[in-house]
Amino acid sequence: MISRTHFLALNTFVMVAEKLNFRAVADQLGVSASAVSQQINGLEEDLGLRLFNRTTRSVSLTEDGRALYLQTAPLLENLSGAIRQAQSRSQIIQGSIRIHAFRSAADMLLDSKIPFFLAAFPDVHIDVAIHDSPVDLIAGGYDLSLRLGEVLAPGLVAVPVGGPLHQIVVAAPSYLAAHDRIRQPEDLIHHNCIGWRWPGTVTPEPWQFAYDGQLKTMPVSGNLVVDDRERQYQAAIAGVGVAQVTEERVRAHLASGALHRILETWETEFAGYYLCWTAGRSMSPAMRAFIDALRRA
């Protein structure tokens, strides 16, 4: 019987053979181009054959690669067709989906999608765990995880949802009126900065700023540290101090004047949320339908 590793590698090989583009295959699989390259390199080592001619400008099949493609592509297509036929025999999307999500991701993406999804698929049962600690999907029994790109783990398929996020610095009008003006990030040394730390950790995260196109981290201090982003910006609204938050979370408060945006010249953009699942796991129709619904966010 073919091993799981070889099956995944052969599937990737066939996709690269058809597209002759490692980046395009990586985008389709939701992984990095280096991950695709590593799979192909491993397959070549196991087979003792060079399957592709690769340069910085082009990719082409070798004779051995062409022979392997002609043998494996029809087999994988037949297998894919069998799976599609089996799925088509089940017209009802039903079953359970267990989801882990960061709090901010749940606020921004899940809360608006779940009611519509359940209305469309009433035979699906969704169980959601919301906390900002990255989880092991297999150990926790989760089907999906909605988390920030900075905490992706090996062995996960990850697809971006919701677009990039923007990190900004804010404070309440009452705080700004009572304290010295903040003109540049270094001025924060003299201000009360509301810290945020990952749940389960002790040290607050440093703040990040853009300097001449480069990312620079800067430690800040203050008399309040939280492990919940909502508590952080609510404290800023109350005038406790200055906070670095995600713009998308506080747009309504910026529009109402409850918060003022400062240090705009140094703001940063970062990869937002990713929907993740364990690579190689079987996917139910309900799970696939939910992934498709969330990717339309």
Side-chain angles (χ1 to χ4, degrees), residues 90-99 117-118 121-127 143 281 283-290:
S90 175
Q91 299 299 317
I92 300 176
I93 294 179
Q94 58 186 0
S96 298
I97 309 172
R98 292 200 69 223
I99 304 169
F117 181 83
L118 292 177
F121 305 107
D123 294 314
V124 175
H125 177 270
I126 295 178
D127 182 324
D143 299 301
R281 67 154 294 166
M283 188 176 294
S284 68
M287 187 173 159
R288 171 53 63 190
F290 187 83

Side-chain angles (χ1 to χ4, degrees), residues 62-106:
T62 63
E63 287 302 317
D64 288 326
R66 186 174 294 105
L68 181 63
Y69 172 75
L70 292 175
Q71 289 177 304
T72 55
L75 297 175
L76 289 175
E77 178 57 32
N78 289 340
L79 179 59
S80 179
I83 292 173
R84 287 194 298 270
Q85 289 178 16
Q87 289 176 335
S88 68
R89 288 194 289 269
S90 175
Q91 299 299 317
I92 300 176
I93 294 179
Q94 58 186 0
S96 298
I97 309 172
R98 292 200 69 223
I99 304 169
H100 157 261
F102 279 18
R103 289 186 181 94
S104 54

Side-chain angles (χ1 to χ4, degrees), residues 260-283:
H260 284 185
R261 191 171 186 159
I262 54 180
L263 298 177
E264 294 186 49
T265 306
W266 290 273
E267 292 174 357
T268 61
E269 179 181 283
F270 61 99
Y273 297 107
Y274 285 75
L275 189 60
C276 312
W277 59 91
T278 305
R281 67 154 294 166
S282 59
M283 188 176 294

Side-chain angles (χ1 to χ4, degrees), residues 28-75:
Q28 185 174 342
L29 292 175
V31 299
S32 65
S34 63
V36 172
S37 182
Q38 288 171 10
Q39 272 199 314
I40 297 301
N41 290 340
L43 182 62
E44 289 179 326
E45 289 179 9
D46 289 345
L47 297 177
L49 298 172
R50 185 162 57 88
L51 302 175
F52 292 100
N53 296 311
R54 284 174 267 186
T55 70
T56 56
R57 294 187 177 183
S58 65
V59 177
S60 61
L61 283 165
T62 63
E63 287 302 317
D64 288 326
R66 186 174 294 105
L68 181 63
Y69 172 75
L70 292 175
Q71 289 177 304
T72 55
L75 297 175

Side-chain angles (χ1 to χ4, degrees), residues 59-261:
V59 177
S60 61
L61 283 165
T62 63
E63 287 302 317
D64 288 326
R66 186 174 294 105
L68 181 63
Y69 172 75
L70 292 175
Q71 289 177 304
T72 55
L75 297 175
L76 289 175
E77 178 57 32
N78 289 340
L79 179 59
S80 179
I83 292 173
R84 287 194 298 270
Q85 289 178 16
Q87 289 176 335
S88 68
R89 288 194 289 269
S90 175
Q91 299 299 317
I92 300 176
I93 294 179
Q94 58 186 0
S96 298
I97 309 172
R98 292 200 69 223
I99 304 169
H100 157 261
F102 279 18
R103 289 186 181 94
S104 54
D107 291 343
M108 293 172 58
L109 298 167
L110 283 186
D111 290 349
S112 61
K113 286 290 181 179
I114 286 178
F116 292 100
F117 181 83
L118 292 177
F121 305 107
D123 294 314
V124 175
H125 177 270
I126 295 178
D127 182 324
V128 183
I130 299 176
H131 54 82
D132 290 340
S133 298
V135 299
D136 183 317
L137 270 69
I138 295 176
Y142 294 104
D143 299 301
L144 299 168
S145 178
L146 188 57
R147 61 178 68 182
L148 288 170
E150 61 193 270
V151 291
L152 297 180
L156 294 180
V157 177
V159 295
V161 292
L165 299 175
H166 302 83
Q167 197 158 253
I168 66 174
V169 178
V170 298
S174 60
Y175 180 89
L176 295 174
H179 296 82
D180 293 338
R181 185 176 176 185
I182 303 173
R183 295 182 174 86
Q184 57 188 5
E186 287 73 14
D187 293 339
L188 293 171
I189 296 172
H190 308 293
H191 285 264
N192 196 42
C193 296
I194 305 166
W196 177 83
R197 59 178 174 78
W198 286 102
T201 66
V202 176
T203 306
E205 289 293 298
W207 290 10
Q208 295 182 328
F209 297 95
Y211 279 82
D212 297 325
Q214 295 185 337
L215 200 64
K216 179 179 180 180
T217 60
M218 189 176 114
V220 295
S221 62
N223 61 6
L224 177 63
V225 176
V226 298
D227 68 354
D228 183 338
R229 288 293 193 184
E230 184 175 355
R231 302 283 80 73
Q232 186 186 29
Y233 71 72
Q234 289 294 348
I237 291 172
V240 172
V242 184
Q244 188 172 58
V245 298
T246 302
E247 176 200 2
E248 288 75 8
R249 293 290 306 281
V250 298
R251 278 177 178 164
H253 302 296
L254 293 169
S256 70
L259 289 173
H260 284 185
R261 191 171 186 159

